[in-house]
Amino acid sequence: MALVMLPCDLPWWTSVQRHLKHLLLASSPAKLTASMLKIHDMCNIGIDPDDDIKDPELMKGLEVFLEEEMTEDERRHFLDNTIRIMVNKALHLKRWRPPKGLMFSLQQQSDVTELEYNFVSALVAHAFFSTNPKRTLKTHPTLQDFNFTHFFKNLHRKSQRNKLKSLLHYFEWLDKSSNEGSIKLSRQVMTSKQWLTIEDWLECTLPLCKLQVRHEGRPERCENDEAIRVCFASSRVGGDTLIDGDSQESLSMFMMPELLPAMLSVEALEDNEVLKVEGVRLFSRICDKRQKTKVELLEEPKTVTVCLMDAEDYSKLPLSQWEEDNVLRELNKCLLAFQQTPMKTRDGNRHERRLSPIG
């Protein structure tokens, strides 16, 4: 069984709790960010000692945002109320953790993981405070780092500020509403027996679904609550979301913050895999970067189903997209992503669970 190491599983959990509670006493943005930096430096210890370089300016962007982007009343509300909500969520991590722990979603292993909304909110809060063990591409090549380490440095960008506003709205809403329910993460894998060849595609006589083409519109504005919203993502789910990303994937993860914890437990998607997330809630809409960037905060979230699939980028070698292997890769991945129900395997053999992906 491959379990994700959570902050509450580590020896310094008691110290983390003490530092989190200390955030409640912060009377100014400078004091808050100074305390957050201490938490970050205590928890963000990587396997590779060469990567452990401390940066005293890491939280400066958040301090500037609070001082310059917020009014005095908004700033006071953030320090007195929003931080309280986030700290309380983070402190309840151990209480809300699944009895058997949080399991990794491993490559080439179809699985379904159900996570309570409360637990998900605690995970997001811990990412904000950067308390998760540090990961890098060198030490964890198939996993993402689930910390806001580099997020605040990019708050000078409007899309980044809108992502943060959306996240804060999410926590504010949780404080006023019931948070019962759960999300379901399903890793869907197309086996070798299910893989379709060019001949299979050419000879297929199945009728196609109705197709509606719109000149304007985005997945988050879909009126049909039953629809599956397919979002183009990175193979390492999340991509640059927690750095400075403004792609469809990056913005979607902040419009639906309950998608963010997928970065903690889901191994990189391979050519025959997609990730489906059911029960996730849409809390805001962040408009396209080509328009005037703005965020629309929803009074009531919409519960939706999202499928994350990583289409290849052929912009550097456009002609390669027409090679047979690449065409099949995209067609089969789309088939996996857009289908309404998971494909049933004819292979009765069960996969053996493997150890945690630690690089």
Side-chain angles (χ1 to χ4, degrees):
M1 183 182 293
L3 292 175
V4 178
M5 189 71 73
L6 300 174
C8 60
D9 300 324
L10 298 169
W12 48 81
W13 173 237
T14 303
S15 296
V16 171
Q17 289 176 295
R18 186 173 65 253
H19 279 78
L20 286 171
K21 291 175 183 176
H22 189 70
L23 295 176
L24 301 175
L25 305 176
S27 57
S28 68
K31 291 181 179 179
L32 174 73
T33 53
S35 296
M36 286 178 62
L37 184 61
K38 289 180 182 178
I39 294 174
H40 173 276
D41 290 347
M42 176 176 64
C43 299
N44 263 247
I45 301 172
I47 297 175
D48 186 355
D50 294 336
D51 290 327
D52 289 332
I53 301 172
K54 289 182 168 50
D55 181 1
E57 299 294 309
L58 214 54
M59 302 291 169
K60 190 66 179 177
L62 178 60
E63 181 184 343
V64 172
F65 172 83
L66 296 175
E67 291 286 5
E68 298 181 2
E69 286 291 317
M70 288 186 170
T71 64
E72 179 61 36
D73 289 343
E74 289 172 337
R75 191 159 48 248
R76 181 49 48 199
H77 179 79
F78 175 81
L79 292 171
D80 293 345
N81 194 59
T82 312
I83 285 296
R84 171 190 60 80
I85 299 167
M86 298 172 78
V87 167
N88 285 340
K89 296 292 182 187
L91 291 173
H92 282 86
L93 178 65
K94 195 167 188 175
R95 172 184 166 189
W96 289 332
R97 179 185 57 184
K100 294 183 179 180
L102 175 61
M103 288 191 291
F104 278 107
S105 172
L106 301 174
Q107 291 175 336
Q108 300 305 317
Q109 297 189 8
S110 298
D111 55 32
V112 179
T113 303
E114 194 163 345
L115 303 176
E116 298 290 330
Y117 284 142
N118 279 325
F119 177 61
V120 171
S121 67
L123 292 178
V124 177
H126 275 280
F128 182 85
F129 295 125
S130 297
T131 60
N132 290 300
K134 183 179 181 179
R135 298 169 179 169
T136 66
L137 192 58
K138 181 179 178 181
T139 60
H140 297 78
T142 62
L143 294 170
Q144 286 276 25
D145 182 48
F146 191 47
N147 291 299
F148 275 55
T149 302
H150 304 290
F151 184 89
F152 302 119
K153 280 187 171 182
N154 296 291
L155 280 175
H156 60 280
R157 303 183 60 179
K158 193 161 187 181
S159 60
Q160 195 83 342
R161 296 197 296 272
N162 285 335
K163 285 157 64 177
L164 179 56
K165 289 174 184 176
S166 181
L167 184 71
L168 300 182
H169 170 66
Y170 161 69
F171 282 106
E172 291 281 353
W173 187 90
L174 293 182
D175 192 48
K176 301 171 186 173
S177 311
S178 169
N179 202 29
E180 294 181 3
S182 60
I183 66 169
K184 189 182 292 183
L185 294 98
S186 309
R187 189 184 200 99
Q188 299 184 3
V189 182
M190 182 179 281
T191 66
S192 57
K193 291 184 178 181
Q194 296 166 337
W195 190 262
L196 300 182
T197 65
I198 288 291
E199 289 73 22
D200 293 328
W201 282 100
L202 290 172
E203 295 169 5
C204 180
T205 57
L206 291 174
L208 297 176
C209 297
K210 290 182 179 179
L211 180 66
Q212 186 176 11
V213 179
R214 297 187 178 186
H215 296 288
E216 293 182 2
R218 292 173 60 83
E220 64 270 14
R221 294 196 176 275
C222 175
E223 299 90 354
N224 187 349
D225 292 342
E226 302 299 318
I228 295 177
R229 291 155 171 79
V230 177
C231 176
F232 290 113
S234 310
S235 58
R236 292 168 73 237
V237 173
D240 293 332
T241 298
L242 296 184
I243 302 175
D244 62 352
D246 58 4
S247 63
Q248 181 189 39
E249 173 187 32
S250 297
L251 298 183
S252 293
M253 285 199 147
F254 277 87
M255 290 186 270
M256 297 169 275
E258 288 153 348
L259 285 176
L260 286 168
M263 298 174 67
L264 181 64
S265 61
V266 177
E267 260 199 304
L269 299 174
E270 296 197 297
D271 288 344
N272 60 333
E273 299 179 317
V274 297
L275 181 70
K276 184 178 178 182
V277 189
E278 301 171 72
V280 71
R281 294 173 292 185
L282 178 73
F283 284 87
S284 66
R285 296 188 182 99
I286 303 174
C287 78
D288 193 284
K289 63 182 180 180
R290 288 180 291 275
Q291 304 169 8
K292 290 185 178 179
T293 312
K294 63 179 181 179
V295 60
E296 175 191 350
L297 305 177
L298 304 182
E299 289 187 15
E300 283 298 321
K302 291 180 63 175
T303 303
V304 299
T305 297
V306 179
C307 187
L308 302 173
M309 65 163 280
D310 57 312
E312 287 282 13
D313 181 3
Y314 296 102
S315 56
K316 292 183 179 178
L317 290 170
L319 289 178
S320 65
Q321 66 184 304
W322 306 116
E323 294 174 8
E324 183 173 321
D325 286 348
N326 293 336
V327 170
L328 284 176
R329 191 259 187 202
E330 302 306 314
L331 283 174
N332 284 310
K333 187 170 281 263
C334 284
L335 175 61
L336 199 57
F338 283 92
Q339 65 189 337
Q340 302 299 305
T341 55
M343 298 182 75
K344 293 183 179 179
T345 177
R346 290 169 284 180
D347 185 1
N349 296 329
R350 294 183 62 185
H351 294 288
E352 290 186 7
R353 303 296 293 182
R354 61 180 177 80
L355 298 177
S356 300
I358 57 171

